[in-house]
Amino acid sequence: MGAVPKRKISRHRRGNRRQHLALTAPVLVKCPRCSKPMRAHYACKACGTYKGRQVLKISQPE
Ligand SMILES: [Zn+2]
């Protein structure tokens, strides 16, 4: 057998260790160009612009 913990981790210690593991929801802001919700500090997925500049190619499926 390899290395095995000598004692059970108590509920308190386990919770203490996991206190920083919670996930946070992504920050959503309105796109200044198309006003759709987009992630802050990311290029807009809908119109492909960042800081007023076209940075992504948007293909229209029509
Ligand atoms: Zn946009």
Side-chain angles (χ1 to χ4, degrees), residues 35-53:
S35 72
K36 289 210 173 95
M38 59 168 232
R39 286 196 72 174
H41 316 293
Y42 281 71
C44 175
K45 283 252 176 81
C47 64
T49 56
Y50 188 76
K51 293 219 165 179
R53 217 158 53 84

